Amino acid sequence: MIEKILFKYGKRMYFKDALLRQAQRQFRDTATNAKIDTNNPSFLGIQTVFTGELRIIDEQCYDPLPIFRILHSSHEHVQLPEDFKLDENTLIKMYRKMVTLNIMDKILYESQRQGRISFYMTGTGEEAIQIGSAAAVTLEDVIYAQYREAGVLLWRGHSVADFMNQCYGNCKDASKGRQMPVHYGSKKLNFVTISSPLTTQLPQAVGTAYALKRSKKNTCAICYFGEGAASEGDAHAAFNFAATLECPIIFICRNNGYAISTPTREQFKGDGIAARGPAYGIPTIRVDGNDVLAMYYATKVARECCTRSEKPFLIEAMTYRIGHHSTSDDSTAYRSSDEIAYWTRYMPIIRYRSYLESVGLWCEQRDIELKKHVKTSVLLAFTEAEKERKACWKELFTDVYRTMPKHISKQMYSMEKHVAEFHKHYPLHFFKQA
Amino acid sequence: MFSSAVRRVVRRSFSTSKWSGAQQMTVRDALNSALDEEMERDEKVFLLGEEVALYDGAYKVSRGLWKKYGDKRVIDTPITEAGFAGIAVGAAMAGLRPVCEFMTFNFSMQAIDQIINSAAKTFYMSAGRVNVPIVFRGPNGAAAGVAAQHSQCFGAWYSHCPGLKVVSPYNSEDAKGLLKAAIRDPDPIVVLENEILYGVQYPMSDEALSKDFVLPIGKAKIERVGKHVTLVAHSKAVEQALEAANELAGKGIEAEVINLRSLRPLDIDTIVQSIVKTNHCLTVEQGWPHCGIGAEISARISESEAFYHLDAPVIRVTGVDTPMPYTKSLEIAALPQMSDVVFAVNKVLGLQ
């Protein structure tokens, strides 16, 4: 499963599990117990191999990293790995969550277009990465997401109403309406609040992984990011720190082809993000992110490896962003609608549904019922959230510091007096009472 | 020998705290004992940064800690400020209490996004659910002969931001008491130390030597009582203010010297009370004038009732508004000296 490519004298050699571990062990031994050899010094930190042949290593020297997948276009050949254990209920639950995410996205996207919420970001076409990976980890594991991982939170138990309340920033929103829509967070579900500046979550997730390692709870951090975010300096810092500090973290890169409008061919050269993993000393898998079962299995293997060895793991999940970057973007300005139509055929939901039907777990009738049910419940939660009042206006002053400092309490007191005197001029009924 | 004895006597006369028989301690050792005591007190406290472990810290502030607490509590990191600041933020979010050392605060600009966008704002953005108990510390301001990129004061930069607390200790008691308070605090705190002061000895009271010694964050200290003019300073500038006060005392001018200790929250009450008594105020700092600490104090005075007690405008004595020159003579000219403070006081009092 886990393949690492080593190059030796220009030959292409693939080492699988056992062989790989042996090679790694030998490398460690030579690095730490370098023998004194007057003719051939052993350089620090690398495996020293001398050659008389001057060779330039470039990406042509080795095959591209293969993409792991389970669901082929034709379901006759689907063969699940031997230790693939998911019961029927979980398989169906995965499909239901993917559909829920998709429908919720559509409704919230439309509501932004109608001016009901200020902003939204969809995960259309990327449902498999979120649901597949989320199903493979535990609630004790800590999630650091970017902004396109609502599905992960949905899988962990965030209700549709929770999502709606956050997008509306009403008084039931756990973040008190302080964040832009889609910047979800849940302490209960170990899902760290989304940060807008790109890639800050990577080093932070490594720090959390370090804390988890110290706690000896046998858990890990899971950190999501896009291939565009991987260009930030923070990504380098995070990979290198995770490797050198040996932190249990799974980096999941959603390579969806575009960073807002910048296509991957302008984002990086070389063999994607996965090729960077071995260079940092991080075991890596490239997986078909449109295949929910492959995503589940790859994450499961990564988690086992990660918690067992207390070391980092990198997954590059290949997918395509069918939706626009956000509601502030119109992607037809930089890509053709033919391209979008092409990838729509490979939508993970379609592929997974067809697999479930082929094994007799799903049918047209159930699909219609599910979609109808989800739509009704999302719309209901949506209407409820819209009717809800805003958080108490006093929340404007809280949570800057654990104990409110004098200069802030003075401001709050002065506003209290002002509101008491001029309450008739303010729409106080829109706000929750203190 | 003689001159050092004089210096000591002079320094003692500056301090309002009890000095008789007090033990001397360098600021470096005071910081070191603060770290040691807090690491011993709380398992969750750990130190990370460049060279902090095996090498004992670039300025030896973490001397002996790696030997005592090992790899898990004192961590040498690769050279990426944004990386280890981010790791510290993540570790704090997960419940640890990291102390993040910048080799100097000049390098913290590489990590300023993590400090402001993540450390300072997370408690508010998470609606009080996730606090970030973290200390960012290291030498700040001008050292000597290290030119523009290593001689900058970040007092104004960090104290601009709500969510952060900023302390700027002057002597050994300040350093120990404020760092210990910062480590125990639930909010993110920037501790701005001064490289030149690291090696200077100051008296430590019995109280300050105790393991329970912490200073309140947000409270200034009156270093010297006076009635004619108020000098407000922080960090190394407190020294110039005290020297100037000593000089002025010879001419019958009694200056009250306020050591701010905290830049945010700013103890404006102590400043106001002093001005009510002295009717004159100057600020002294090594940082730049534009949008600086002195500018903030001056504005806050104008907005308070102290304004009506002033007999002259508030004057700022600051570093000059230019990147720090490398040349020694120009470096001295670029920083506020005792004579600059004396000159400015005379001007404010209308004596020249």
Side-chain angles (χ1 to χ4, degrees):
Chain A
M1 238 309 294
I2 308 156
E3 289 180 342
K4 182 181 178 182
I5 301 160
L6 299 178
F7 345 104
K8 204 174 181 186
Y9 310 120
K11 288 179 190 163
R12 292 163 190 173
M13 297 178 71
Y14 288 68
F15 285 76
K16 290 207 170 186
D17 273 335
L19 205 49
L20 164 66
R21 272 198 291 277
Q22 193 187 351
Q24 284 175 333
R25 216 169 17 246
Q26 277 169 359
F27 168 63
R28 264 202 305 277
D29 293 346
T30 42
T32 49
N33 307 318
K35 290 191 189 97
I36 306 281
D37 179 341
T38 43
N39 295 324
N40 297 308
S42 249
F43 292 106
L44 301 178
I46 59 155
Q47 189 180 11
T48 306
V49 178
F50 291 101
T51 172
E53 182 196 352
L54 179 73
R55 281 183 33 74
I56 295 171
I57 307 294
D58 61 20
E59 57 181 308
Q60 307 305 323
C61 293
Y62 52 92
D63 289 337
L65 270 75
I67 302 170
F68 172 70
R69 73 170 179 183
I70 293 175
L71 297 179
H72 300 250
S73 37
S74 154
H75 293 301
E76 286 162 22
H77 304 296
V78 170
Q79 196 166 7
L80 298 175
E82 270 178 27
D83 58 340
F84 189 98
K85 292 183 199 107
L86 273 184
D87 57 45
E88 292 182 356
N89 284 340
T90 314
L91 287 171
I92 291 171
K93 184 181 165 193
M94 285 164 83
Y95 181 71
R96 298 175 77 99
K97 293 285 180 186
M98 286 167 80
V99 169
T100 307
L101 175 63
N102 188 264
I103 291 176
M104 186 175 84
D105 272 353
K106 275 187 192 140
I107 290 175
L108 282 170
Y109 181 83
E110 285 308 320
S111 76
Q112 193 279 340
R113 297 282 109 170
Q114 294 164 2
R116 292 165 168 228
I117 60 173
S118 64
F119 178 81
Y120 195 68
M121 298 178 99
T122 66
T124 314
E126 299 177 52
E127 297 88 352
I129 294 178
Q130 304 175 43
I131 302 299
S133 61
V137 301
T138 72
L139 271 182
E140 283 74 42
D141 296 329
V142 181
I143 308 289
Y144 275 81
Q146 193 160 306
Y147 39 60
R148 221 180 291 284
E149 282 86 15
V152 176
L153 196 50
L154 185 70
W155 180 269
R156 290 170 88 83
H158 214 55
S159 71
V160 171
D162 293 333
F163 286 104
M164 299 295 158
N165 290 332
Q166 198 281 335
C167 287
Y168 270 103
N170 63 30
C171 67
K172 285 189 173 165
D173 167 24
S175 58
K176 303 181 182 172
R178 284 185 187 148
Q179 294 257 42
M180 284 174 74
V182 312
H183 290 59
Y184 310 114
S186 170
K187 193 163 186 175
K188 189 179 73 186
L189 300 174
N190 272 326
F191 188 99
V192 178
T193 310
I194 306 300
S195 159
S196 276
L198 219 52
T199 328
T200 55
Q201 79 275 21
L202 268 76
Q204 290 167 10
V206 177
T208 290
Y210 183 76
L212 294 175
K213 181 177 166 177
R214 274 192 47 177
S215 75
K216 299 194 189 308
K217 282 184 191 152
N218 206 33
T219 52
C220 64
I222 294 102
C223 182
Y224 295 84
F225 58 102
E227 86 288 344
S231 295
E232 289 276 7
D234 282 39
H236 158 70
F239 295 149
N240 200 32
F241 276 75
T244 54
L245 287 176
E246 301 189 338
C247 298
I249 176 169
I250 308 172
F251 294 106
I252 301 182
C253 177
R254 280 182 298 96
N255 187 341
N256 66 8
Y258 288 91
I260 307 187
S261 69
T262 308
T264 45
R265 66 176 180 278
E266 289 172 21
Q267 191 68 245
F268 54 74
K269 297 292 171 193
D271 189 18
I273 310 302
R276 299 177 198 175
Y280 282 104
I282 301 178
T284 300
I285 301 174
R286 176 176 278 161
V287 59
D288 184 349
N290 286 356
D291 173 350
V292 70
L293 297 185
M295 196 62 213
Y296 164 79
Y297 188 68
T299 313
K300 183 171 159 285
V301 169
R303 191 185 181 279
E304 278 164 14
C305 186
C306 188
T307 49
R308 193 181 56 232
S309 66
E310 296 196 315
K311 282 182 186 162
F313 207 101
L314 171 64
I315 295 175
E316 182 181 25
M318 306 306 298
T319 184
Y320 184 84
R321 195 193 79 207
I322 289 175
H324 304 295
H325 165 70
S326 72
T327 46
S328 314
D329 173 45
D330 173 10
S331 66
T332 54
Y334 52 82
R335 60 179 182 178
S336 70
S337 37
D338 287 350
E339 184 184 297
I340 302 171
Y342 169 79
W343 280 102
T344 307
R345 288 206 297 273
Y346 297 100
M347 282 269 288
I349 290 182
I350 299 173
R351 206 196 304 185
Y352 188 42
R353 178 184 158 184
S354 130
Y355 167 74
L356 289 178
E357 284 176 353
S358 76
V359 292
L361 286 175
W362 203 250
C363 63
E364 178 73 22
Q365 184 57 31
R366 287 186 77 175
D367 207 64
I368 293 168
E369 280 166 19
L370 169 71
K371 283 175 181 162
K372 197 174 147 195
H373 169 73
V374 169
K375 204 173 168 185
T376 318
S377 58
V378 171
L379 282 172
L380 184 70
F382 175 83
T383 321
E384 291 294 316
E386 201 170 35
K387 279 194 288 199
E388 204 55 67
R389 284 175 301 172
K390 303 288 177 204
C392 174
W393 58 264
K394 279 190 193 174
E395 298 288 2
L396 188 64
F397 301 97
T398 59
D399 305 323
V400 183
Y401 298 95
R402 176 68 76 84
T403 313
M404 191 183 284
K406 216 160 71 180
H407 72 279
I408 296 182
S409 54
K410 265 187 194 167
Q411 293 172 44
M412 187 162 90
Y413 175 66
S414 125
M415 184 152 165
E416 272 170 7
K417 274 205 320 197
H418 176 84
V419 171
E421 192 176 349
F422 298 102
H423 60 92
K424 280 184 194 153
H425 304 282
Y426 288 101
L428 289 178
H429 59 280
F430 285 148
F431 298 87
K432 203 178 161 191
Q433 297 304 304
Chain B
M1 183 60 210
F2 174 71
S3 67
S4 79
V6 169
R7 251 203 325 267
R8 203 164 299 156
V9 170
V10 168
R11 193 172 298 128
R12 279 175 182 173
S13 69
F14 289 161
S15 174
T16 57
S17 55
K18 184 176 67 175
W19 59 268
S20 57
Q23 193 179 323
Q24 298 283 317
M25 189 184 269
T26 60
V27 171
R28 173 183 292 114
D29 289 343
L31 292 166
N32 181 270
S33 61
L35 286 169
D36 190 7
E37 287 169 18
E38 292 309 300
M39 288 180 78
E40 197 167 85
R41 179 176 172 269
D42 185 353
E43 262 288 300
K44 290 178 175 162
V45 178
F46 74 101
L47 177 68
L48 81 169
E50 293 154 6
E51 324 285 352
V52 296
L54 193 61
Y55 192 71
D56 280 342
Y59 296 100
K60 307 294 171 201
V61 170
S62 54
R63 184 158 47 209
L65 297 179
W66 176 66
K67 280 205 185 86
K68 186 168 174 186
Y69 297 101
D71 285 335
K72 273 203 167 172
R73 307 274 308 274
V74 183
I75 303 168
D76 270 338
T77 66
I79 310 169
T80 323
E81 278 74 13
F84 65 74
I87 271 131
V89 171
M93 285 171 167
L96 294 180
R97 286 182 171 268
V99 178
C100 173
E101 173 175 311
F102 292 116
M103 196 179 282
T104 98
F105 260 95
N106 294 280
F107 306 154
S108 75
M109 282 217 272
Q110 297 261 6
I112 202 163
D113 178 67
Q114 288 286 355
I115 300 172
I116 292 166
N117 267 324
S118 295
K121 297 179 187 171
T122 293
F123 188 58
Y124 179 80
M125 294 196 307
S126 70
R129 288 172 297 166
V130 180
N131 68 316
V132 187
I134 188 169
V135 172
F136 298 103
R137 53 155 290 272
N140 170 63
V146 288
Q149 290 177 318
H150 298 89
S151 304
Q152 189 173 330
C153 175
F154 285 84
W157 289 60
Y158 289 115
S159 47
H160 189 60
C161 309
L164 279 182
K165 291 176 182 168
V166 183
V167 298
S168 181
Y170 156 57
N171 60 18
S172 303
E173 283 192 4
D174 287 2
K176 185 177 175 191
L178 290 172
L179 180 55
K180 281 168 72 81
I183 294 173
R184 294 181 191 187
D185 202 276
D187 297 313
I189 303 201
V190 172
V191 180
L192 302 170
E193 300 156 6
N194 184 286
E195 187 189 325
I196 295 192
L197 297 177
Y198 276 156
V200 182
Q201 288 199 326
Y202 292 96
M204 289 283 274
S205 64
D206 290 344
E207 189 197 355
L209 290 168
S210 142
K211 287 189 174 184
D212 302 319
F213 178 66
V214 285
L215 286 172
I217 290 169
K219 195 86 192 85
K221 178 190 173 195
I222 297 174
E223 288 282 347
R224 181 186 174 119
V225 180
K227 57 183 178 189
H228 297 127
V229 60
T230 302
L231 301 177
V232 187
H234 72 95
S235 189
K236 189 153 189 314
V238 176
E239 190 178 273
Q240 277 78 55
L242 288 170
E243 285 170 2
N246 214 32
E247 174 86 9
L248 291 162
K251 294 170 190 161
I253 300 165
E254 288 172 40
E256 179 146 301
V257 177
I258 296 176
N259 168 8
L260 281 174
R261 282 183 168 169
S262 295
L263 303 181
R264 178 187 264 269
L266 187 69
D267 185 3
I268 195 69
D269 292 349
T270 298
I271 300 170
V272 167
Q273 281 158 21
S274 179
I275 292 172
V276 168
K277 183 169 66 171
T278 64
N279 312 114
H280 298 88
C281 181
L282 288 94
T283 64
V284 191
E285 66 185 308
Q286 293 203 327
W288 291 312
H290 192 104
C291 301
I293 300 296
E296 172 64 18
I297 291 170
S298 179
R300 297 275 279 273
I301 290 168
S302 300
E303 290 163 1
S304 78
E305 97 14 79
F307 179 76
Y308 303 102
H309 292 269
L310 282 174
D311 289 344
V314 176
I315 296 291
R316 292 172 290 164
V317 182
T318 69
V320 297
D321 199 14
T322 159
M324 182 64 75
Y326 175 65
T327 311
K328 196 174 176 184
S329 54
L330 291 179
E331 185 184 70
I332 293 169
L335 290 169
Q337 304 298 328
M338 182 265 273
S339 54
D340 300 321
V341 182
V342 172
F343 176 82
V345 169
N346 282 326
K347 206 170 141 186
V348 167
L349 294 178
L351 298 174
Q352 54 184 207

